[in-house]
Every structure is written in C-alpha cells, then in structure tokens.
Amino acid sequence: MSREVERVFREEYGRAVAVLVRSFGDIDLAEEAVQEAFAAALQRWPDGGAPPNPAGWIITTARNHAIDRLRREARRAEKHAEAELIYNIPPDEPDDRLRLIFTCCHPALARHAQVALTLRLLGGLSTPEIARALLVPEATLAQRIVRAKSKIRDAGIPYRVPREADLPDRLSAVLTVVYLIFNEGYAAGSGDELVRDDLCAEAIRLGRMLRRLMPDEPETAGLLALMLLAAARRPARVDALGALVPLPRQDRTRWDRAAIAEGHRIVRECLRRNRPGPYQIQAAINAVHTDAPSAEATDWGQIVQLYDQLMAVAPTPVVALNRAVAVAEVDGPDAGLRLVEGLSLPRYHVFHAVRADLLRRVGRAAEARAAYATAAELAGNAAERRYLLSRAEPDGSTTVTPGEMLEA
C-alpha cells in the first residue's frame, strides 16, 4: 500500500465506514464499499496524485460502489430509493463513529465480539492486529467478527447512541474498545514503527467525545486522563533511528507538558469525585510517573499502593504483572520475580520481557537472555523486537539499569 493511501486508510477508514453505515444501514456493505474505494485509490493515486480532499474522495467513491452493488443485486425498490438518498446526506456528522461504537457494543453481543468488531470498523485494524491486541488466535477472531456482524443484521440492532438511562450499562464495553484502540497505537502490534499516532489520536478523540456525552461518569474522564498521560511520553519513546527507549532512559524534557498538565487536572477531578474505577486508578499511576522529574525520583511506594487498589477492582494477570514491576523497585528484583513466576501469560511478550529484566537483575544471565529471545519472538512490532533481541545478546547484560524493560 502506498504511504499516502496507507495514511488516509489509518486516519479515515473508521469515519468512512461509519458514514456509510448511517446511510445504508448495512455494515458488510459499508465495509466492503470502503475497501473497494481504497483499492481504487491504490490504482489511481500513485500516478495522478492524491485528490485535494482524500477523505471525501474515499467516502464518495465508497458510496458509489455501494449504490452500484445494490443495483447489481437487484434489491427491493425501497432499497434503491434509500441508496439514492445518500446524495442528499452530508458526508459526515460528528457523532457517526460514536453511533457505530454503541451499535457494535450493543448488549446483545458478547463482550469479546463487541471489542473485536469495533476495533475492526472504527480503528480499521486488520484481523492479525486485533488478534494480537486481544491475545487470541486469528481464526477465532475472524469468526467472532463474522458472527457479530450477522447478529447486528439479524437482530436489527439500531444504529444510534443509547438513551441516557441506558448509557451506564453500555459504557464498560465502549471504554474497553477505546482503550484497546489506544494501546494498539501506543505500542503497535505489527509493522516497523513502535507508535501509530493516528490510532492514539483517534482513541483520544473518541475519549473526549465520550466525556462530553457522559460528563458525570468518572471512568470516561479517567480513561481520557490515562491516554493523555501515556501519549505525553510518546516523543521520547523512540530515538532518532526509531529504536525503542525504555521509560528509565527517556529524555523527560521531550514529554508533552500540555498533555501532562491536562491529564493531571483530570486525575484531580476524579479524586474529588471519590468514585474510583480501573481507568481512574491507572491514570493516577501514570500521573505519579509523569510527576517525577527523573526515573530515580519516582514514588514507587505510591505506585505499589495504587496497584493494590487496582488489583482489588480489576484483578487480572496483566495488572498483577505491572504490580510486580513496581514491587521489584520497592522490595528488590527477587520479590518482583517471585510474583512474576506465579503468573501465566505465555503468549504475552511483555511478560517475558519483564521476567527477563528481573532474571538479569538477580544475576541469572543465561535465563534472562532466553527470556528476552522468547519475548522478541512473540513481539509483533519491529521496534520492540529489535530492542528485545539486543537485550538477548551475551554482552547486553552490562548495559541494563534497574527497571529497564518494556513498559508493562
């Protein structure tokens, strides 16, 4: 895929699908038409150049493909009439993607299907990328997406933002989706680049939209703060050659201070509400990290306490892994390693990277190199893989400082 087409795909795929779903009421039709539009762009843009409004070109071309397909398939007359109405519909509305998120996160769908389908339609992620984000096999993920689309079609699930009374029950799945989109952008599951700014920006945009929609829901604020504080570190996470820079070695003068200030302000608002939830606690942890002027000045004791709270409300193996990292900084690498060895995350590359770092710090160099190699094998992102392979080198142990690992 040419760079320009790929850029437009990453930035506009979700918007284009959402616009066509609103217009035609058919997810499969919308997605296939948008894919055909991008295929056409691949044929035309390299020679003639991208149009002045690439997103508008994609939506218009996709719309025409959809109408042509409806005509070819000789659908009912009212379907033809509905298709023609698209010409009188504005190309976008601010909440098209929000409608699509809530449609995909309808309670009639299983949670894993909600997440997978929204990542596919809103983020434009491929099946392998979503499978990696959700830590499931590709075949399983593909089946989930197909079944979810069929469920929406067969059950007549409406394409709209729920009524205010129904919003709280639907919020958890929506926040999970936005968080996973951000995570895929923050540490891309595939490709050469560590960070995909388009996905991070899209997730933050959706987070802001959700916060406007539900201003009294502290978890929407917590998620937005979490994403802002994590994204603020982005400029320092890779060096000039695109290599990963671990948190302890990052140049904190390059962090986005405006995003940090906004994130801290939202965290303080959440604390005043005193209705803690998983995203608010994670945001508070990131606030501690970004408040420290240096890695050595980080208040790891406070971070352990916050992870204790997080384990009380969201006791997952990944949370336990993160807590083990913090415990290792407070009580030493042996204590952290004991906690890590009690976890089972065999397909999660960060687990092996954390374990490798702790093994190295307790002097078990050969085991550490093997664990780094396993982590590198599982990592889908080239930047992470290069970093992990460098740590697996026999002479790499002399260059590692405490806490130098992939961000868990």
Side-chain angles (χ1 to χ4, degrees):
M1 185 181 292
S2 72
R3 288 193 175 184
E4 178 63 13
V5 177
E6 183 174 6
R7 181 190 66 78
V8 176
F9 180 88
R10 292 300 185 192
E11 293 178 359
E12 302 294 348
Y13 180 87
R15 172 191 174 193
V17 170
V19 170
L20 265 69
V21 170
R22 170 169 59 89
S23 303
F24 292 95
D26 186 325
I27 290 176
D28 283 329
L29 176 64
E31 191 172 18
E32 290 173 12
V34 172
Q35 290 170 353
E36 288 178 350
F38 277 105
L42 277 175
Q43 292 179 343
R44 301 179 191 178
W45 293 8
D47 293 332
N53 180 3
W57 190 97
I58 290 294
I59 291 173
T60 299
T61 303
R63 176 187 64 192
N64 292 336
H65 278 299
I67 292 172
D68 289 344
R69 178 180 167 184
L70 290 179
R71 287 171 174 161
R72 286 196 307 269
E73 294 178 356
R75 297 237 176 144
R76 298 187 304 272
E78 59 266 32
K79 280 289 184 182
H80 289 280
E82 290 173 8
E84 295 295 344
L85 288 176
I86 186 66
Y87 287 108
N88 298 318
I89 296 177
D92 193 15
E93 290 185 0
D95 59 354
D96 272 341
R97 280 169 282 192
L98 191 59
R99 287 195 188 104
L100 187 54
I101 286 180
F102 276 105
T103 298
C104 294
C105 295
H106 193 278
L109 301 175
R111 172 58 59 83
H112 56 71
Q114 295 171 342
V115 172
L117 185 58
T118 308
L119 284 170
R120 181 73 187 91
L121 298 180
L122 269 296
L125 275 66
S126 67
T127 297
E129 287 172 330
I130 303 171
R132 185 177 299 279
L134 301 183
L135 303 177
V136 297
E138 288 182 30
T140 300
L141 192 283
Q143 291 174 355
R144 289 177 182 177
I145 291 176
V146 170
R147 286 196 294 264
K149 288 180 180 178
S150 299
K151 180 74 172 182
I152 289 174
R153 181 185 64 247
D154 297 341
I157 292 174
Y159 175 63
R160 64 168 184 251
V161 177
R163 297 172 303 175
E164 184 175 355
D166 297 330
L167 283 173
D169 291 338
R170 300 276 294 278
L171 182 63
S172 177
V174 172
L175 294 181
T176 297
V177 165
V178 174
Y179 188 40
L180 285 172
I181 292 174
F182 179 82
N183 277 346
E184 178 61 26
Y186 188 71
S190 62
D192 294 329
E193 297 181 358
L194 175 67
V195 178
R196 284 168 48 182
D197 291 326
D198 53 344
L199 287 182
C200 290
E202 173 68 5
I204 290 173
R205 189 196 70 80
L206 290 170
R208 293 189 188 281
M209 186 178 293
L210 285 171
R211 193 180 182 210
R212 288 195 299 271
L213 181 69
M214 305 183 71
D216 296 326
E217 174 52 59
E219 277 291 83
T220 62
L223 176 57
L224 178 57
L226 171 60
M227 294 188 295
L228 287 168
L229 292 171
R233 301 199 299 267
R234 187 208 62 77
R237 292 184 68 230
V238 293
D239 62 19
L241 299 177
L244 183 148
V245 180
L247 180 60
R249 290 189 172 187
Q250 289 176 13
D251 179 359
R252 299 187 177 216
T253 65
R254 299 183 62 200
W255 289 359
D256 185 340
R257 290 297 159 185
I260 290 173
E262 183 181 2
H264 284 192
R265 184 168 61 252
I266 297 173
V267 168
R268 289 193 294 270
E269 292 175 8
C270 292
L271 290 174
R272 287 194 293 270
R273 290 177 182 269
N274 196 26
R275 291 166 52 196
Y279 293 111
Q280 296 172 77
I281 297 172
Q282 291 178 75
I285 292 169
N286 276 265
V288 175
H289 277 297
T290 52
D291 191 48
S294 65
E296 295 75 19
T298 302
D299 188 347
W300 287 103
Q302 185 178 2
I303 290 176
V304 170
Q305 292 176 5
L306 287 168
Y307 272 120
D308 289 342
Q309 294 181 34
L310 188 56
M311 283 294 293
V313 299
T316 70
V318 173
V319 172
L321 177 65
N322 280 269
R323 180 180 179 276
V325 172
V327 168
E329 297 302 320
V330 174
D331 298 329
D334 283 301
L337 184 59
R338 284 194 295 271
L339 295 174
V340 169
E341 297 288 22
L343 302 175
S344 179
L345 289 165
R347 303 299 301 171
Y348 186 36
H349 71 288
V350 177
F351 165 78
H352 295 283
V354 169
R355 181 171 176 269
D357 177 85
L358 295 173
L359 286 167
R360 189 191 297 272
R361 290 167 61 184
V362 299
R364 294 158 63 178
E367 293 175 80
R369 289 194 294 271
Y372 271 126
T374 300
E377 181 180 350
L378 293 172
N381 179 272
E384 289 181 322
R385 190 160 53 248
R386 287 192 298 269
Y387 170 79
L388 292 165
L389 286 173
S390 73
R391 300 278 70 81
E393 293 295 328
D395 61 349
S397 60
T398 62
T399 65
V400 177
T401 59
E404 183 171 337
M405 60 185 69
L406 292 177
E407 294 172 63

